[in-house]
Amino acid sequence: APCPEPVAWSLGDALWDYHGGRPPLGALLVPGIKEGEMGWRSALLRRTQAAPLPAWTADVELLTWAPTPLHRRWLRGFDLAEETAGLLARRLDRPAQATLRRAMFSGRQALRTESQRRLLPRKSVRLRRGAPVKDRIVLLVDDVWTTGTTLLRCAQALVAGGAREVRVLTLFRAL
């Protein structure tokens, strides 16, 4: 099979291992949060507020997030990636802005196999008109990094829009 596409970001990390800990924090919290559970969401955001950040986050110039399709955001009542980006922007004293948009019917990555996830088309994520990414170091935030394909499509759109550098930070990494 052909090799996977090279990453479009320079640095990337997650605050926690999805399956790590006793009980595994990500596996315990994220499914409920994605179903709209507000108590777990608040607990996770409080924990994120106190979590140590990678040193390389200090010199980012703009924070943005992997977009959630509107219908899913509406059903949940919130967007965890957007809220996390806002929280991190306040911690880093940097602006956060919605720079990306998701195709309306790109489908849920969570319901796909690993092979199917890697087939997410480039056109599934686009840069918003007027997004201020040109010549900036952009921190792309998401909730869970599984295969990295959503992050790849987001980072590709940011680079195509002129971002000088894209860095990735997620709450959890599912290894």
Side-chain angles (χ1 to χ4, degrees):
C3 292
E5 297 174 68
V7 296
W9 58 84
S10 59
L11 297 164
D13 204 353
L15 297 179
W16 302 286
D17 176 2
Y18 187 85
H19 300 289
R22 289 184 185 257
L25 186 64
L28 176 69
L29 298 180
V30 173
I33 291 169
K34 289 198 177 222
E35 291 301 316
E37 213 299 317
M38 301 299 254
W40 286 121
R41 175 183 136 264
S42 297
L44 180 58
L45 290 172
R46 279 193 307 274
R47 188 174 175 125
T48 302
Q49 180 65 40
L53 299 176
W56 48 259
T57 60
D59 59 344
V60 300
E61 298 166 310
L62 174 72
L63 285 85
T64 194
W65 54 91
T68 299
L70 288 177
H71 66 282
R72 211 159 310 117
R73 179 186 172 134
W74 182 79
L75 286 171
R76 278 186 206 145
F78 60 88
D79 183 337
L80 185 59
E82 179 181 353
E83 289 187 30
T84 302
L87 183 150
L88 295 174
R90 288 186 296 280
R91 283 185 64 185
L92 297 168
D93 194 27
R94 300 289 188 274
Q97 187 169 347
T99 61
L100 300 165
R101 62 181 176 83
R102 189 97 183 231
M104 188 62 150
F105 300 105
S106 59
R108 280 186 80 179
Q109 286 290 78
L111 300 177
R112 297 177 176 165
T113 66
E114 183 175 339
S115 299
Q116 291 169 330
R117 287 174 185 230
R118 293 187 188 282
L119 298 175
L120 185 67
R122 280 184 186 247
K123 66 182 179 180
S124 64
V125 178
R126 298 273 188 219
L127 195 65
R128 289 177 181 259
R129 189 177 315 235
V133 300
K134 189 161 180 57
D135 297 323
R136 294 175 104 175
I137 300 172
V138 179
L139 180 60
L140 173 62
V141 178
D142 203 1
D143 53 1
V144 180
W145 176 349
T146 307
T147 62
T149 307
T150 299
L151 294 169
L152 175 63
R153 297 300 176 235
C154 291
Q156 287 169 335
L158 292 165
V159 168
R164 181 169 75 234
E165 184 180 351
V166 177
R167 299 174 184 182
V168 170
L169 185 64
T170 63
L171 292 174
F172 297 99
R173 173 82 195 258
L175 300 173

